[in-house]
Amino acid sequence: DAGVTQSPTHLIKTRGQHVTLRCSPISGHKSVSWYQQVLGQGPQFIFQYYEKEERGRGNFPDRFSARQFPNYSSELNVNALLLGDSALYLCASSSGGLSVYNEQFFGPGTRLTVL
Amino acid sequence: GIQVEQSPPDLILQEGANSTLRCNFSDSVNNLQWFHQNPWGQLINLFYIPSGTKQNGRLSATTVATERYSLLYISSSQTTDSGVYFCAVKGEYGNKLVFGAGTILRVKS
């Protein structure tokens, strides 16, 4: 079975631009979460989506938004890019709804560089 | 919110040596996962272990939830074990994984 997939793998943007990152969860998983990992740190939670609704949001500005589609894939959008948005963006999926007991599985990430 | 501390921050081992990585957390958890992040950034699931002990080959993990810590044991280390090891937890009502800062492991041949 395919794991979590993300696209693109790498992306280079300039300050002020907009970016869209994509994620497809493991087949049968309905919950998708997004994390940002800057160099030298652990991943930080951005959003959780379940059944196409936002179920949780981390401490990120409104420039960050996301959505989930009927097939449970998800997009993360970032507007007005700043240099500090350069990071590895990770998508995770889990089964079993919103239970705190669900194990999360991560995709390979999208490495975003903002120049 | 819940805090996660991992130790040591860095570890250098000779191939074949054993090691113990520690994860302390500040509150009750219902979910604890250990990950290995490879040089390409992929987070690989090692253990889902909110309590108890599990083993998978040369790796094992123990979580003592009442004392708020978890240990990851690596035996007979190999160069392919190099990378960053993360502990991540969810609090009792949490919907997100909270990660520690990681332990950077380097195994030398």
Side-chain angles (χ1 to χ4, degrees), chain A residues 33 35 37 40-43 45 48 55-56 88 90 99-108 111, chain B residues 30-31 33 35 37 40-43 45 47-48 86 90-97 99-101:
Chain A
S33 298
Y35 292 79
Q37 186 180 19
Q41 297 181 19
F45 173 76
Q48 182 192 28
R55 303 292 183 157
L88 180 67
L90 295 162
S99 170
V100 298
Y101 302 102
N102 293 336
E103 184 175 4
Q104 291 198 0
F105 297 87
F106 284 79
R111 195 166 296 278
Chain B
N30 286 323
N31 181 330
Q33 293 184 240
F35 299 92
Q37 189 166 43
W40 298 272
Q42 173 84 56
L43 280 171
N45 289 46
F47 293 102
Y48 170 77
F86 286 104
K90 279 187 187 180
E92 281 190 85
Y93 306 103
N95 59 356
K96 63 179 182 181
L97 281 175
F99 284 77

Side-chain angles (χ1 to χ4, degrees), chain B residues 27-102:
Chain B
D27 209 340
S28 301
V29 299
N30 286 323
N31 181 330
L32 188 146
Q33 293 184 240
W34 281 98
F35 299 92
H36 175 212
Q37 189 166 43
N38 65 23
W40 298 272
Q42 173 84 56
L43 280 171
I44 299 164
N45 289 46
L46 297 177
F47 293 102
Y48 170 77
I49 186 166
S51 64
T53 298
K54 290 187 178 180
Q55 181 158 6
N56 184 3
R58 297 180 297 103
L59 273 60
S60 64
T62 295
T63 297
V64 184
T66 53
E67 297 186 22
R68 300 183 183 169
Y69 73 88
S70 183
L71 302 173
L72 178 68
Y73 305 96
I74 304 174
S75 64
S76 304
S77 58
Q78 302 175 359
T79 55
T80 51
D81 294 332
S82 296
V84 185
Y85 289 80
F86 286 104
C87 168
V89 305
K90 279 187 187 180
E92 281 190 85
Y93 306 103
N95 59 356
K96 63 179 182 181
L97 281 175
V98 177
F99 284 77

Side-chain angles (χ1 to χ4, degrees), chain A residues 70-83:
Chain A
N71 66 353
Y72 304 109
S73 67
S74 177
E75 282 183 356
L76 175 69
N77 296 283
V78 187
N79 293 324
L81 286 167
L82 303 174
L83 295 180

